[in-house]
Amino acid sequence: MILVLGGTAEARELAGALDAEGVRVTSSLAGRVSRPRLPAGEVRIGGFGGPEALARWLTEHGVAAMIDATHPFAERISASAATACAQAGIPLLRLQRPGWSAGPGDDWHWVANLDAAAAAISSLGERVLLTTGRQGLPAFAGVHDAWFLVRCVEQPDPPLPPRHELLLDRGPYTVDGELALVDQHRVELVVTKDSGGAHTEAKLEAARRRGLPVIVVRRPSRPDVPTVSTVADALAWSRERAHAG
């Protein structure tokens, strides 16, 4: 069996390809979204209880290999996966989509974390499109001199920015839709994380066309494990391990 740590579009695509080839695949989802998009094959929802418990699960379920295809900012599970695979003696591959890169006409401001993003807002704009995800919103709760259009998939828990409007929406987004959103709410600044991928990059094109600055939170460091950037490469690697097992 191949275990895919999922929750991303790439993870769903990989699971579907493996399942279509007759490879037994189980996708593990964190369970933070109430109505996740389920991939093909078997699905497990919820945490494992730490790296030691994950290592036991891998051994008990006869996992031949694991692919960590979690979100680029899912630091904890990636660290747990690296430790667990080392303990269980199971090969691990990281499938990570490439990050975004600024192009001609972009006014990007890179920061190390969400706290730094919050601190940088006051000098760049007063009406903010905030797309960093609901779990990071407390970092902006102390920003009183800006108004936020907070976009996330599900209802966030407090604390939230004191001046905000909440927009519950799920990508993929279009450039036309993002331009309309920016214009309707008179957005002056976009704040995002370097998630990469095509599903949510339309906001960056919209910011470019409107000449808006963008605060981009850098990706956190990840464990030093073999890494690929395409589903095709991950599929070839998985296929090899599945057949070997």
Side-chain angles (χ1 to χ4, degrees):
M1 176 177 68
I2 301 295
L3 178 65
V4 177
L5 301 182
T8 60
E10 293 82 4
R12 289 189 296 275
E13 184 181 345
L14 175 61
L18 288 169
D19 184 69
E21 292 190 5
V23 175
R24 185 185 173 199
V25 56
T26 296
S27 296
S28 175
L29 307 181
R32 295 194 179 98
V33 178
S34 60
R35 292 180 296 168
R37 294 170 175 167
L38 298 180
E42 302 171 33
V43 178
R44 181 190 184 281
I45 297 179
F48 290 92
E52 290 76 17
L54 175 54
R56 288 194 300 272
W57 194 95
L58 295 172
T59 302
E60 292 169 357
H61 289 78
V63 174
M66 181 197 294
I67 298 91
D68 174 12
T70 54
H71 191 275
F73 284 80
E75 301 172 71
R76 185 178 300 176
I77 185 59
S78 290
S80 182
T83 300
C85 284
Q87 290 179 359
I90 292 172
L92 170 66
L93 181 74
R94 170 77 182 155
L95 170 56
Q96 178 165 280
R97 69 182 74 132
W100 290 318
S101 299
D106 285 327
D107 180 16
W108 287 14
H109 302 259
W110 290 91
V111 295
N113 51 48
L114 293 174
D115 289 335
I121 287 173
S122 62
S123 63
L124 293 172
E126 296 182 358
R127 297 185 64 83
V128 183
L129 172 60
L130 182 60
T131 65
T132 54
R134 63 188 175 97
Q135 293 185 333
L137 292 178
F140 302 91
V143 180
H144 295 270
D145 54 354
W147 174 89
F148 293 85
L149 177 61
V150 178
R151 183 169 68 192
C152 46
V153 175
E154 295 198 342
Q155 182 72 36
D157 295 324
L160 301 175
R163 299 168 53 210
H164 76 272
E165 179 177 330
L166 187 62
L167 174 60
L168 300 183
D169 195 12
R170 187 200 298 259
Y173 306 103
T174 66
V175 174
D176 287 343
E178 299 291 66
L179 286 169
L181 193 70
V182 164
D183 293 344
Q184 176 186 349
H185 294 278
R186 307 191 311 282
V187 169
E188 301 172 355
L189 169 67
V190 176
V191 180
T192 188
K193 297 189 293 190
D194 182 21
S195 300
H199 274 58
T200 59
E201 70 177 347
K203 62 192 169 192
L204 302 176
E205 176 63 25
R208 182 181 301 119
R209 294 189 186 184
R210 292 295 185 261
L212 305 181
V214 182
I215 296 174
V216 187
V217 180
R218 296 185 187 278
R219 294 180 174 186
S221 59
R222 289 303 186 109
D224 185 15
V225 301
T227 301
V228 296
S229 61
T230 69
V231 172
D233 286 342
L235 177 61
W237 185 92
S238 303
R239 187 188 296 127
E240 207 172 288
R241 271 72 188 175
H243 292 161

